[in-house]
Amino acid sequence: MVFLETNKNGNREINPIESWKYGIKTPTIDIEFTNLTYTVSTGKKSEKDILKNISGQFKSNELTAVMGPSGSGKSTLLNILTGFQNDGVSGIVTINGQPRDMRTFRKMSCYVMQDDLFQPKMTVLEAMHFAADLKLGFHVPKSSKQILIIDILKTLRLLHAQNTMTEKLSGGEGKRLSIALELVSNPPVIILDEPTTGLDELSSTQCIDLLRKIALTGKTVVCSIHTPSAKIFSKFHNIYIVASGQCVYRGPSNKLVPFLSTVGIDCPKTYNPADFVIDVSCGEYGHDFVKKMMSTVNTKFPITPIQRTMSYDIEKSYQKNTKVQWHIQFCVLSKRMMIQTIRDWNFVLFKLIMYLLSGLLLGCLYFNLGGDGSKTISIFLFCLACSVFFGYIPMIPIILSHPHQLQLVEREHFNRWYDISPFFWASNLSTIPVAMSAATIIIITAYSLSGLPLEYYRFAMFSSSCILTMFISEGIGFVLGTLFSVVCAFLFLILQNQKCILILGFGDITPLPIYRSCLMYISHLRYGFEAMVISIFGYDREGLSCPDEYCHYKMPIDILKIGHMESRDFWINLKMLFAFFIAIRMLLYYLLQRRIHNRINPSNNKTKKKTIFRLGNFE
Ligand code: ADP
Ligand code: MG
């Protein structure tokens, strides 16, 4: 039986709340894969087959274990079956006997990866609520979501930890939460990579018990597992053993020992069959046995092709775009990010205090020099210090945190929680309040202490240049965090540092050689710096007071001249900063799409198209 309801538009769709509540009965999905081969290139002309022509079936109502020695290809097989890995794959995957339609399959499956990653600063209950809002949208009433969440938490024995922060959960609880978060949308196929690794024996048994219980509600549950205890091993309905990328056993767990006897190797009575078969697959009892197992498995356990189709209603229901609307995704993600920012109060407070101290330091270094004609160069350097501060400091925390955040986004996006675009907008907008507050503190402190002209338009011009430089720097931080690891991103900053020397461009040579001008004007730091200097010395500012007999740079126009800025316009600089800001954010959006979306939805790359064709009805 399948639980369907009629929605507002008269279409019939699966109601996840009811289907979970009544222990039913999403469609039953049988997965079959035939002659799967996965090849990676290992040098200019050499290739390596990680999976070699392997075939098998994972059925509904069954808990299947994918076993094998470390490095045998378990994770690779699961990555391919979930669609997480597409490049270099050949073979056929069918769902209920029909060629797999990747879009539909992704809507009915979830992938729980080996290491647990959670949104920080959330309790278990909050994490579940955000998952429910993102996966079910707002049209499911809050009360129903609450019932669903409590129901899942109860089943997964997480109710006692509902108010615990996710980062404080124990290993077993963390693993169960990873599963609970995916169960919200009640997917008929659940694939897990080593869910028991790192757990003690009791937690592992509880975890496998739970997966068995879930499988018996009609779901297809497949998990890779390294070396289960005999007790855990007996809980699996089916075992699929991989050795060096080839299948050496597929069939019921209780038929493994008789199978080993038929190939001529008896499992000692006191041995755990799971340990024993892994030893055999590693070649510890001779490679002949491994070869014999590979050839015998096909005759002993031949694959009978699955002959059924999905019910028309179900297929249509899953083919429709079941994702919640853009604005809901955006609102939920923004709320989640805001809560995380507020909860990370220590960081916010630290940032505000650091900016205040930096403002005080800058203000003290250049104390009251703003109107002093004998210290004009110092104010010029003050602007340089500001442009370097706003050009670098804001990107550092982003470079450090963004790569980790992206891993989480990759997973959540893969499991169809949300699209890239609402995430992009939410993450860009959610940084604004703290960034603006910190910038305001440093600008007001440094500007007032250094005695710069207290004219509102000069202050507004100076502040806007600083703030735009800061947002560009944040954007560069996001771009570097998307492209590189933390270490590489910091190495890239060394190159950026050299630009500081170039943006100054004054003093030595007049006119500047063309290459120096070019280098100067491809950097946003130069535009920010120029805008700051012009906002202080430009716009026909009167001559400064001169405490000595002679002040060389008494007239503001002279200081503009040594920086080659006498004919430059503030607004052009501001427009250029704005153009940089837009360009960096567009680049960021493109890179996010490329990194996350294209990996999961291969459609516009030649080699990927080859894979799509080979895997059948992919798009
Ligand atoms: P496990 O069974 O431990 O999960 P994996 O599926 O992660 O093993 O990996 C199987 C084998 O494939 C390993 O030997 C691994 O080093 C190799 N491998 C996986 N991906 C690549 C790759 N992109 N390039 C080269 N070797 C790879
Ligand atoms: Mg693995």
Side-chain angles (χ1 to χ4, degrees), residues 66-167:
V66 176
M67 284 170 48
S70 182
S72 56
K74 304 181 291 295
S75 302
T76 309
L77 176 62
L78 298 189
N79 283 346
I80 292 169
L81 289 180
T82 49
F84 198 70
Q85 178 73 55
N86 296 300
D87 278 346
V89 182
S90 67
I92 295 166
V93 181
T94 62
I95 303 300
N96 288 356
Q98 307 298 309
R100 174 173 67 171
D101 176 74
M102 201 58 199
R103 277 176 200 276
T104 314
F105 181 70
R106 285 216 15 245
K107 287 175 199 171
M108 46 175 79
S109 64
C110 72
Y111 189 20
V112 179
M113 291 179 199
Q114 189 172 345
D115 44 334
D116 300 314
L117 288 180
F118 301 116
Q119 289 294 339
K121 312 279 168 209
M122 300 262 125
T123 66
V124 167
L125 197 60
E126 285 167 339
M128 288 295 285
H129 271 290
F130 279 116
D133 287 342
L134 286 166
K135 288 176 164 207
L136 307 176
F138 289 159
H139 69 278
V140 176
K142 240 184 151 174
S143 54
S144 307
K145 281 185 200 156
Q146 181 72 13
I147 295 170
L148 168 78
I149 289 168
I150 297 298
D151 215 15
I152 295 176
L153 291 183
K154 236 190 240 167
T155 315
L156 273 70
R157 290 178 299 98
L158 273 175
L159 211 51
H160 68 281
Q162 57 175 308
N163 295 319
T164 309
M165 286 285 171
T166 52
E167 55 259 50

Side-chain angles (χ1 to χ4, degrees), residues 12-29:
R12 276 156 64 75
E13 62 183 28
I14 292 161
N15 179 336
I17 301 266
E18 297 302 316
S19 58
W20 173 264
K21 201 165 130 196
Y22 298 105
I24 343 173
K25 296 304 175 162
T26 43
T28 51
I29 303 292

